[in-house]
Amino acid sequence: SREDQERCLAAQLDLAKSLRAPVVFHCREAYPDLLDRLAGWVGGSLLFHCFAGNVHELGRASLLDAYFGVDGPITYKNSDSLRAVVQKMPLDRIVLETDAPWMAPVPYRGQNNKPAWLPLINKALADALGQSESAMAETSTANAARFFQWGD
């Protein structure tokens, strides 16, 4: 139920805050509610996995210094609206994801996704942002390391 989801979210956020741990959200068709709940968040870093929000929701999440996961749909022919949103993301807040086994990139769409196909997602993201593939890979890796506190 919605009440159970809200109660569980509150408990998870309390735990993350007490541990200063990063939080990854898988949000589907609930960005306004989730962003309302997170308003004023002071705690660990936030990542919106497989971000599918609009520009307004991106803006609200950006105010939280959130990170944004980009995965297979960036490669889809009909994803112009996603690419338009991605172009407004802060470059230092983008991470690459596979969402394996789901949402395989083109030309493997419809198959089980694999981490080995991450370079296809990186290429589509780099193209959308006017970056080189190597620069995009470097940037997204550094962002992931910062979010997950690798090396700290």
Side-chain angles (χ1 to χ4, degrees), residues 13-40:
L13 289 173
D14 287 346
L15 177 61
K17 188 180 276 189
S18 72
L19 298 173
R20 302 285 301 161
V23 181
V24 178
F25 295 100
H26 187 146
C27 182
R28 299 213 32 196
E29 301 174 14
Y31 286 105
D33 291 338
L34 179 57
L35 291 165
D36 287 348
R37 173 63 178 84
L38 294 173

Side-chain angles (χ1 to χ4, degrees), residues 4 30 43 52 63:
D4 286 342
L63 292 174

Side-chain angles (χ1 to χ4, degrees), residues 144-146 148-152:
R146 193 171 53 256
F148 288 108
Q149 303 166 11
W150 297 337
D152 285 354

Side-chain angles (χ1 to χ4, degrees), residues 9 11 86 100 108 112 139:
L9 175 61
V86 166
Y108 302 105
N112 282 344
T139 297

Side-chain angles (χ1 to χ4, degrees), residues 36-60:
D36 287 348
R37 173 63 178 84
L38 294 173
W41 168 255
V42 178
S45 296
L46 307 174
L47 170 83
F48 289 90
H49 157 70
C50 190
F51 187 76
N54 60 37
V55 172
H56 176 71
E57 293 156 346
L58 171 68
R60 290 185 67 194

Side-chain angles (χ1 to χ4, degrees), residues 2 6 15 20 22 29 33 46 50 71 73 75 89 98-99 117 127 148:
R2 181 181 178 105
E6 289 174 359
L15 177 61
R20 302 285 301 161
E29 301 174 14
D33 291 338
L46 307 174
C50 190
D71 46 10
T75 70
M89 287 179 177
T98 62
D99 200 37
W117 297 338
D127 289 347
F148 288 108

